[in-house]
Amino acid sequence: MASVQTECMPQVGFKLRDQPFGSSLSIPFDSIRISGLHNRAHGRDNRDAAFWANTLVASVDGQRYLAKLYTPGCGGEKAFEHDLDRLMKAKGSNLPRVFAYSNDATTPCIVFSASRIIPFHAYPAELLRASPGTALQDTWQLLIDMKASSQCILNAVEGMIRNYPTLPTGVLCDALAKASVDDRGSIVLTPEIDGRPFDCAQEVEELVKTAWAEFFRAGKYRPLRALGYALTGNAYAVLGKSPREFETPASALEYLQQFWVPPSRRYLSWPSNSKGFFEPGDIGVFEMQIGKGQVFRKLSSVAAELGGVVTKISAGDFVEVQPGVQRATCLPMSEDDRTSSVMMSWSTTLSHSKTEWHWLCENATRLATDHGVPPVDLVLLTKTNHGLSVRSLETLRRRIRKPIYFYVHIDETGSASELYWTFKDSPLCSEEIRKLASNPDLAGLPLPAPEMYFGDKPYPARYLQLESADL
């Protein structure tokens, strides 16, 4: 195989010789792994695969590159031609750069000039490990590069959108959400056309904000939260000024702070992997634990200082029949009513929710001193979500001749303290509930019993956490 001299002139007809892993494409890991990956590639339909699926690290003339294999027989040939055509026409953009390609019918292949691609959502972690002092500015600059790349792609697809009105409008926003960073630290966007809808007339800055502002507000990348707040507050100002214009990280941070969203919009989403029986008003800290990741350690509860907890029913088939008692009715099966399930969802918040931010600002130092933690590490849980559903009611409804009632008793903390079903159209008293719990047959309900699922542990939804500038 002739050596490739330049990235500007990709080698046409790049050959793989006898087999995909022949001497022209050597893979630096053991043959068993190669064989397994290749078999899995042949079992996939390329029309539905993510763009970077089935990529391998290849060696061409002694240099490492990424190679993307296409599966013949299940859309691979068309996917290969489609990707290659778009990539070759997109010179100068931040789409993946083609180094070489193979039009061998047995295994079509594209070789890219990058030796490594890492998803953008994982790249800030590398920056924080390698250079924590400049990670904020480096990430900020990558977002600016992403904006420039987005404009190039928007210009490229503008004709397609105009000529094909039915083309999915998620082209650019989805490309931003799937952005990657190559081995040179440059933004690389995927050429896939799919994803969530967006308005093609929307400004590119707004698209970058939609794709990444909430991500940088998450606790996982706490040192970059200032960027997320500012991007949410004024994406145009953030993406219109390069961080390279600032002499120090402190001056760059000061610039971002003037665009932070107001306190009423500074609520943060609870980490999905940090679960437990927590309630609004709980004060604690997030900690990293081996094998568990980020977990919440409760220090105390300040719910009483913020007026206690308020419960709000947000949706469902239950109605309140007594204070704190919700009821759903299950009727015998009929032609007009074939309901198979009933559900309810509710949330709990702090009574003084309008002042909880200011309360935290005024009391963070005191609480931090009491518990021996930095004030900026304190977390105030402000909202929990709850859910309940009763499923598989069809068989039960065919066996009954009169209504069955499902009851949920919600206590002062917003939790479902009691959950039962009965033929009685009024709630049971505490003694009746106790007897029913010890002997369910007392209810006299026909089998099979319906499946009842409910959140015995309320799911934390949002929290507040201060930054140094707030203290």
Side-chain angles (χ1 to χ4, degrees), residues 318 324-326 344 346 388 406-410 416 418-419:
F318 288 71
V325 180
Q326 301 285 328
M344 182 176 72
W346 67 99
L388 175 148
F406 298 90
Y407 291 94
V408 182
H409 292 236
I410 299 177
E418 303 292 350
L419 182 67

Side-chain angles (χ1 to χ4, degrees), residues 308-343:
V309 172
V310 175
T311 300
K312 179 181 179 182
I313 308 298
S314 52
D317 304 298
F318 288 71
V319 295
E320 188 172 54
V321 293
Q322 287 184 8
V325 180
Q326 301 285 328
R327 184 185 71 189
T329 304
C330 175
L331 299 173
M333 183 71 77
S334 68
E335 291 294 330
D336 298 330
D337 184 3
R338 296 184 176 273
T339 302
S340 61
S341 64
V342 293
M343 57 78 63

Side-chain angles (χ1 to χ4, degrees), residues 275-425:
K275 300 178 181 179
F277 194 88
F278 305 125
E279 301 170 355
D282 285 352
I283 280 276
V285 293
F286 287 127
E287 297 177 333
M288 297 299 295
Q289 293 186 4
I290 298 176
K292 295 183 178 181
Q294 189 179 46
V295 298
F296 178 70
R297 178 167 65 90
K298 178 180 174 179
L299 300 174
S300 64
S301 174
V302 296
E305 298 183 51
L306 286 162
V309 172
V310 175
T311 300
K312 179 181 179 182
I313 308 298
S314 52
D317 304 298
F318 288 71
V319 295
E320 188 172 54
V321 293
Q322 287 184 8
V325 180
Q326 301 285 328
R327 184 185 71 189
T329 304
C330 175
L331 299 173
M333 183 71 77
S334 68
E335 291 294 330
D336 298 330
D337 184 3
R338 296 184 176 273
T339 302
S340 61
S341 64
V342 293
M343 57 78 63
M344 182 176 72
S345 59
W346 67 99
S347 62
T348 54
T349 58
L350 292 169
S351 179
H352 297 169
S353 58
K354 293 184 178 180
T355 61
E356 58 196 13
W357 169 266
H358 298 289
W359 183 93
L360 184 59
C361 289
E362 294 173 357
N363 293 274
T365 301
R366 171 181 62 83
L367 292 167
T369 302
D370 293 343
H371 297 286
V373 297
V376 294
D377 286 354
L378 287 176
V379 169
L380 173 61
L381 176 59
T382 61
K383 181 181 180 180
T384 58
N385 289 330
H386 307 246
L388 175 148
S389 66
V390 185
R391 309 173 190 172
S392 305
L393 293 178
E394 300 94 330
T395 302
L396 176 65
R397 295 183 64 207
R398 291 190 183 99
R399 299 171 68 96
I400 60 176
R401 297 182 180 276
K402 58 182 179 179
I404 287 180
Y405 301 96
F406 298 90
Y407 291 94
V408 182
H409 292 236
I410 299 177
D411 62 22
E412 65 278 0
T413 68
S415 299
S417 58
E418 303 292 350
L419 182 67
Y420 57 91
W421 54 92
T422 175
F423 281 120
K424 296 185 63 174
D425 61 358

Side-chain angles (χ1 to χ4, degrees), residues 6 52 73 103 142 153 168 171 194 209 227 229 247 263 270 274 304 309 362 380 426 447:
T6 172
W52 293 111
N103 51 13
L142 283 172
I153 291 186
V171 180
D194 59 4
K209 180 179 80 171
L227 182 59
Y229 282 152
E247 295 183 357
W270 195 266
S274 185
V309 172
E362 294 173 357
L380 173 61
S426 60
L447 296 176

